[in-house]
Each structure stands twice: as structure tokens, then as C-alpha cells.
């Protein structure tokens, strides 16, 4: 039954004869095991006839899943990342799901999971950023998919409040911030909205015909951020293996190996404080490639740290 369930989860449709051959059982056994899966809550649809077969359909509730090793590891890593992520209200559910998955893992797989969790260092800086409610993201996602107008109150970066009615297009995650790309029906133009600044979000129920943005949503958001915010592209050579650096700060940077013990790191950031913290936390020597103001920023940090160390009563 577990092998049958695994096959149904990995392909949309199987003929009865295909399943019988793959499972090395009779078609009658396949039908019996399908009935058992249904009794356990799995919605397995059957197509009658000579070319009949089976497919796993969406159900009213989520039944247990069968995962292979790579799928289970990916699930655990994803759940672990959401505990301190940019979406509010999911940490408790993520922790509960993580506990359930790890508890039933075989020892060989649990060792890999434990290694990932032990060697990954969460950043308090990412956790301190503004998070968004899961319900808000879900409402926006459904509105984007269904081409349904939404209304909300919005506070821009200057603190100015306004009421908006928009045609939502896509949600884009940049670093640890969520952005909504939408057509503003009042201003008759495309706009980008930081989701954590939305208030009183309401799906209006009215549908619209999708407009052409002209570019993909991620590019649109990146262009807007570059124009509005003074972004810094920080580059440095780190005297450490690329795999080690990627494991520590790879979520926020691009790591390119130069040789077995050195790598080139690129980070795009609004503030030079964050790369200073990230490179300092690596515990490895590094050389600044660009920009010059980052080197000046590090010099300022080093002077303040040196002064703080010298003030210690020895």
C-alpha cells in the first residue's frame, strides 16, 4: 500500500495494468489496496474501462504523505527556515510539523537533518525585520490567481497614508521582505507595495481582465528598489571554502568558489551594516573588492570596536 501511494503521488495518472506490473501484484490486489487507501482518507479516483486507471485527487483534508529521503530533507530544511522567517504566524505550526517529521525519520536520514540544523546559524537581524501575516499573503495570492480586485490602506516610506484599490498581479519576495505588484486603478499605473505596510486588506469580489506588465514581476520590483533605495553591491574575497560560506550566509549572498579555500562573495543590500556583520560573523579573513565606502565603513567599525576593547579595565 505504501509503494502504491508513493507511485500515485509521483505521477498524475496510472493505468491499472501499469500499477500491477510496477508493484508485481495482480490487478485485483491493486483494486483492493486502492480501496484501503480510500478508507484511510486518500481520495483516489478511478477511471473505468479497458484503459482505466487511478489518480490521486485533492481531498477535504490532508492525509499522511509518503516522502523519499531527498523530499523529507527538503521539507525539514524549509520548515526550519520558516521558524525565523518573514511570515508571521507560521513559526508555531512550522515547529509542530518539524517535530512530527523528524520523529518518524529513519536514523540515517535523521543524522543528515541533525547536521544541517546544527551547522546552520540563524540571524537575529533577519528575524527583526517587519514580518507579514500569513492570512494577508494568502488573501493576496488568491486574489492574484483569481484576477480579483483588492482594497487596502497603505502607508508609504515617508509615512503618508492613503486608501488604494488595485488589480493584484504577483507577490515577490526580496530578501526577507514581501512586495505586491499591482495595477493601481486610481493612479492608472503599475505600483509596488510593501506587504507589511498594508492595512485593512479586503478582497472586493470584482474580477478584472489581466494587464500586461511588460516584464516579469521580480524584475519590476528590483528596478523600483534600485531607483528608490540607494542599494550597495558589496563584493569581497573570503579566505574560506565556498561551501562553508554558503552554509553560513548563503541565503543572503552569491558565493562563487575561486579555489578549494577561497571564494568570491557578492551581496546587494540597503545598509552597509548588514554585510559588515555577516563577514565578521564568518570568522575568516576577507578582502574588500568593492565599493570603497564599504572599506571605510569597516574602518569606522574597527575603530569603535578597538576603543571598546581598550576601555576594558585590565
Amino acid at each position: 500500500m505504501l509503494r502504491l501511494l508513493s507511485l500515485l503521488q509521483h505521477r498524475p495518472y496510472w493505468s491499472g495494468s501499469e500499477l500491477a506490473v510496477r508493484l508485481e501484484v495482480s490487478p485485483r490486489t491493486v483494486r483492493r489496496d486502492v480501496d484501503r487507501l480510500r478508507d484511510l482518507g486518500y481520495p483516489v479516483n478511478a477511471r473505468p474501462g479497458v484503459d482505466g486507471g487511478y489518480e490521486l485527487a485533492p481531498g477535504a483534508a490532508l492525509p499522511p504523505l509518503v516522502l523519499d529521503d531527498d523530499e523529507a530533507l527538503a521539507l525539514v530544511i524549509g520548515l526550519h527556515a520558516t521558524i525565523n522567517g518573514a511570515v508571521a504566524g507560521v513559526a508555531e505550526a512550522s515547529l509542530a510539523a518539524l517535530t512530527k517529521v523528524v520523529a518518524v525519520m529513519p536514523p540515517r536520514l535523521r543524522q543528515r537533518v541533525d547536521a544541517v540544523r546544527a551547522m546552520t546559524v540563524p540571524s537575529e537581524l533577519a528575524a527583526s525585520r517587519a514580518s507579514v501575516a500569513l492570512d494577508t499573503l494568502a488573501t493576496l495570492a488568491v486574489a492574484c490567481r483569481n484576477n480579483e480586485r483588492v482594497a487596502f490602506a497603505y502607508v508609504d516610506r515617508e509615512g503618508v497614508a492613503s486608501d488604494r484599490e488595485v488589480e493584484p498581479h504577483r507577490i515577490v519576495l526580496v530578501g526577507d521582505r514581501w512586495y505586491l505588484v499591482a495595477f493601481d486603478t486610481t493612479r492608472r499605473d503599475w505600483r509596488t507595495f510593501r506587504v507589511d505596510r498594508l492595512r485593512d486588506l479586503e478582497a472586493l469580489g470584482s474580477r478584472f481582465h489581466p494587464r500586461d506588465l511588460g516584464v516579469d514581476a521580480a524584475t519590476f520590483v528590483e528596478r523600483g528598489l534600485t531607483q528608490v533605495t540607494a542599494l550597495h553591491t558589496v563584493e569581497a574575497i573570503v579566505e574560506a571554502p565556498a561551501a562553508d560560506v554558503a552554509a553560513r550566509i548563503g541565503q543572503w549572498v552569491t558565493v562563487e568558489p575561486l579555489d578549494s579555500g577561497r571564494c568570491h562573495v557578492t551581496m546587494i543590500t540597503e545598509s552597509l551594516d548588514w554585510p559588515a556583520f555577516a563577514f565578521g560573523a564568518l570568522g575568516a579573513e576577507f578582502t574588500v573588492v568593492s565599493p570603497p565606502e564599504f572599506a571605510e565603513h569597516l574602518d569606522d567599525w574597527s575603530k569603535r570596536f578597538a576603543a571598546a576593547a581598550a576601555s576594558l579595565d585590565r
Side-chain angles (χ1 to χ4, degrees):
M1 285 176 58
L2 290 175
R3 289 178 60 203
L4 171 61
L5 179 58
S6 181
L7 291 174
L8 291 173
Q9 289 179 165
H10 278 81
R11 207 171 85 183
Y13 180 78
W14 291 85
S15 69
S17 58
E18 284 181 310
L19 288 174
V21 171
R22 291 291 295 269
L23 296 172
E24 299 179 352
V25 297
S26 67
R28 180 178 180 180
T29 299
V30 171
R31 290 193 294 271
R32 182 193 63 199
D33 288 343
V34 165
D35 288 338
R36 288 180 175 176
L37 288 178
R38 288 169 176 160
D39 291 340
L40 292 173
Y42 295 94
V44 183
N45 292 340
R47 298 183 189 177
V50 178
D51 297 326
Y54 303 93
E55 60 183 356
L56 195 61
L62 181 67
L65 303 176
V66 175
L67 305 174
D68 62 26
D69 285 7
D70 289 341
E71 291 169 340
L73 183 59
L75 179 62
V76 168
I77 292 174
L79 289 170
H80 192 264
T82 63
I83 292 176
N84 292 310
V87 181
V90 299
E92 185 176 346
S94 296
L95 184 59
L98 183 64
T99 302
K100 291 179 182 179
V101 174
V102 172
V104 297
M105 279 184 168
R108 69 178 187 283
L109 190 54
R110 191 178 301 181
Q111 290 177 1
R112 297 175 64 191
V113 170
D114 289 342
V116 172
R117 296 169 68 183
M119 294 297 103
T120 302
V121 180
S123 167
E124 292 298 324
L125 180 62
S128 67
R129 292 288 187 91
S131 60
V132 302
L134 180 60
D135 183 62
T136 298
L137 283 179
T139 299
L140 290 174
V142 171
C144 290
R145 183 192 62 190
N146 295 342
N147 299 324
E148 181 181 1
R149 290 185 178 88
V150 297
F152 51 82
Y154 189 70
V155 179
D156 65 18
R157 63 195 306 266
E158 305 298 333
V160 178
S162 60
D163 293 326
R164 305 295 184 104
E165 183 175 320
V166 304
E167 297 175 354
H169 175 65
R170 289 291 186 275
I171 307 170
V172 179
L173 178 61
V174 180
D176 57 359
R177 283 181 175 156
W178 296 89
Y179 295 87
L180 169 67
V181 176
F183 186 84
D184 192 314
T185 58
T186 302
R187 291 154 182 81
R188 307 300 300 171
D189 197 5
W190 289 97
R191 291 288 190 271
T192 298
F193 303 94
R194 260 181 53 179
V195 177
D196 60 287
R197 293 175 175 164
L198 271 62
R199 299 291 183 270
D200 303 323
L201 175 65
E202 179 185 3
L204 300 178
S206 57
R207 300 296 179 88
F208 62 88
H209 183 73
R211 303 172 190 267
D212 182 16
L213 179 60
V215 296
D216 67 273
T219 299
F220 183 81
V221 172
E222 290 165 3
R223 289 178 181 174
L225 290 176
T226 303
Q227 293 171 359
V228 174
T229 308
L231 296 180
H232 304 278
T233 300
V234 175
E235 298 182 61
I237 305 297
V238 180
E239 302 297 326
D244 294 347
V245 174
R248 296 292 297 273
I249 60 173
Q251 181 179 353
W252 302 280
V253 304
T254 300
V255 182
E256 300 172 297
L258 297 177
D259 53 44
S260 60
R262 300 164 67 244
C263 60
H264 182 275
V265 177
T266 303
M267 180 185 301
I268 299 176
T269 177
E270 298 177 12
S271 169
L272 292 176
D273 286 338
W274 164 232
F277 168 81
F279 285 117
L282 284 175
E285 299 294 327
F286 65 94
T287 303
V288 176
V289 176
S290 66
E293 52 265 33
F294 180 52
E296 296 171 0
H297 195 72
L298 291 176
D299 184 55
D300 178 59
W301 271 41
S302 66
K303 290 177 180 176
R304 286 189 280 121
F305 285 159
S311 68
L312 180 66
D313 184 7
R314 301 180 184 278

